[in-house]
Amino acid sequence: VILLVLLYLFAFCAKAKADGFSEAFATVQVLSADCASMGNACVSAREFSSDLNPALVAITTDKNFKWGISPAYASVNFKNGPDIQGDSMSFTTALPKGVLQLSYTGAGSNRHADFAETDGILISSSLDFDSIQDFGIQYGIDIAKDLIKKGDKLYIGAGYTYSKSKILSDLAVTIPMEEGDPIATEFYLNSKSRSRAYTAGVVYVPIEKLSLGIAYSYTRTKTNNKTDIPAEIESISGEEKIRMNDLRVGASWKITDKLMLAGDYRHAKVNGNNFDQYYAGAEYCFHEAFCVYGGIPNSGWSSGAGLYLKNGGINVAYQYDPFREVRDDLGKAKVVALTGYLSF
């Protein structure tokens, strides 16, 4: 009986840890390379990707823009967790009024395993992001000019993202016995999630060199967890719901024709738990066609570069330790991102 209780506690703790990890992981954002290189400080940055603010969809194009595509790739390598790779494709088109963007992202990971031994008890665990898929739509429009003062501009936007994911994890326990062979058992946790995110954003440009941005998103996530444990104990099944309110405000300032600074503040509330994050970044352009970037993405640092041509361009970015909230579970992360675009 004592052994069965011990095994049940292992399974219960494994599920509880997964629930807490889900809330922290909900705040993790992997952005396009231009935003990533700026330390994720791009809720107000004009001519940057609209990952954080759908109002930017209407600003990243000139008056002659008709349509464009943007492929992207990102790799996230956790020191004590799986290596996640993903790619995405977005299609943007100008409408009679405003700009519409459609996007798709697919990602997955390898299986990462950890081993530990305590008082002769051997514990091994593994984690695998089996599949992650996002389907998104954004719309932005230049809604007003000369709103408060002559020359100012106001952009607004809205977006919707549907996501689904599957995470597999297991915990194996080997308990030595004074007599006979050791007892070995294994627990499996299969988590399937579906989420819907609704986003609204505003960018206000009071003067040509200054932009102010604000974006709010509400995400509902429903996760079905199934924990398979030894036959002597009934399996644990349950449903987990995550509600996240995510508010982000920021400003970007073009100090000179070559140098721009940007900063964001983010407040995320996940099932009653608050997460406050700060981001800062800088852009320096040696020429209109070539710029370098650096930043602080909440924790750690980031860097990158961008090459811009008349009808296309490419950005590369590197981030080190940007995900403080999941560092204790997965260790420090390294992020590499690559984004290209073509416009017509």
Side-chain angles (χ1 to χ4, degrees):
V1 175
I2 294 177
L3 178 59
L4 293 181
V5 171
L6 179 61
L7 294 177
Y8 182 85
L9 288 176
F10 271 121
F12 179 81
C13 291
K15 182 182 182 301
K17 183 177 180 180
D19 292 346
F21 172 77
S22 297
E23 294 183 2
F25 196 80
T27 67
V28 170
Q29 293 177 316
V30 181
L31 305 182
S32 300
D34 53 351
C35 288
S37 61
M38 282 280 290
N40 294 356
C42 56
V43 74
S44 66
R46 287 175 283 169
E47 300 181 0
F48 277 72
S49 297
S50 59
D51 297 3
L52 301 174
N53 191 341
L56 292 171
V57 171
I59 309 177
T60 56
T61 56
D62 60 36
K63 62 181 180 180
N64 297 317
F65 173 80
K66 295 181 179 179
W67 62 276
I69 58 173
S70 177
Y73 168 82
S75 172
V76 183
N77 300 321
F78 290 100
K79 182 178 180 180
N80 301 323
D83 298 335
I84 305 172
Q85 296 85 33
D87 51 67
S88 66
M89 176 67 73
S90 65
F91 171 78
T92 308
T93 182
L95 301 178
K97 288 191 177 294
V99 180
L100 178 70
Q101 184 178 92
L102 305 174
S103 63
Y104 168 78
T105 300
S109 78
N110 65 338
R111 178 172 286 265
H112 176 83
D114 282 322
F115 301 89
E117 184 176 356
T118 303
D119 297 329
I121 299 176
L122 180 62
I123 302 173
S124 65
S125 61
S126 68
L127 179 65
D128 177 13
F129 292 84
D130 185 63
S131 65
I132 303 172
Q133 292 181 302
D134 292 343
F135 306 86
I137 180 171
Q138 291 184 325
Y139 174 79
I141 186 171
D142 177 357
I143 194 171
K145 296 181 180 179
D146 303 327
L147 183 66
I148 300 176
K149 59 187 295 293
K150 186 176 181 179
D152 67 356
K153 300 176 183 178
L154 180 67
Y155 303 85
I156 63 173
Y160 169 78
T161 302
Y162 171 76
S163 305
K164 60 180 182 178
S165 64
K166 182 179 180 181
I167 300 177
L168 306 175
S169 61
D170 66 74
L171 178 70
V173 181
T174 302
I175 304 174
M177 305 298 292
E178 293 184 0
E179 297 181 2
D181 296 331
I183 297 177
T185 190
E186 193 165 6
F187 315 98
Y188 297 93
L189 177 62
N190 186 339
S191 298
K192 295 182 179 181
S193 299
R194 300 289 186 271
S195 68
R196 292 168 173 81
Y198 308 86
T199 306
V202 176
V203 173
Y204 176 61
V205 184
I207 59 176
E208 186 59 30
K209 293 187 176 182
L210 179 65
S211 296
L212 307 175
I214 181 170
Y216 168 77
S217 67
Y218 173 69
T219 304
R220 297 183 305 169
T221 302
K222 180 179 178 181
T223 302
N224 292 313
N225 295 314
K226 182 178 181 181
T227 307
D228 293 325
I229 55 182
E232 294 87 349
I233 308 174
E234 187 175 332
S235 295
I236 302 174
S237 296
E239 183 178 280
E240 177 189 4
K241 293 182 179 180
I242 292 179
R243 300 292 184 265
M244 182 169 73
N245 292 276
D246 195 343
L247 177 67
R248 193 162 185 143
V249 296
S252 57
W253 180 25
K254 193 85 170 179
I255 297 178
T256 69
D257 291 339
K258 294 184 177 181
L259 177 63
M260 182 185 74
L261 300 179
D264 287 4
Y265 164 71
R266 180 190 185 195
H267 176 76
K269 188 173 183 179
V270 187
N271 285 0
N273 296 316
N274 295 310
F275 299 87
D276 294 294
Q277 301 173 346
Y278 301 88
Y279 307 87
E283 172 194 61
Y284 186 85
C285 296
F286 294 95
H287 186 273
E288 291 183 358
F290 181 71
C291 301
V292 294
Y293 307 91
I296 303 173
N298 183 41
S299 60
W301 55 272
S302 67
S303 63
L307 178 64
Y308 306 99
L309 304 175
K310 182 179 180 180
N311 293 315
I314 188 170
N315 287 86
V316 294
Y318 176 81
Q319 292 183 334
Y320 178 75
D321 190 28
F323 309 130
R324 180 178 58 194
E325 284 70 22
V326 297
R327 184 193 297 158
D328 291 342
D329 292 301
L330 300 179
K332 295 181 179 180
K334 298 177 182 179
V335 180
V336 176
L338 176 67
T339 303
Y341 72 92
L342 291 171
S343 61
F344 304 93

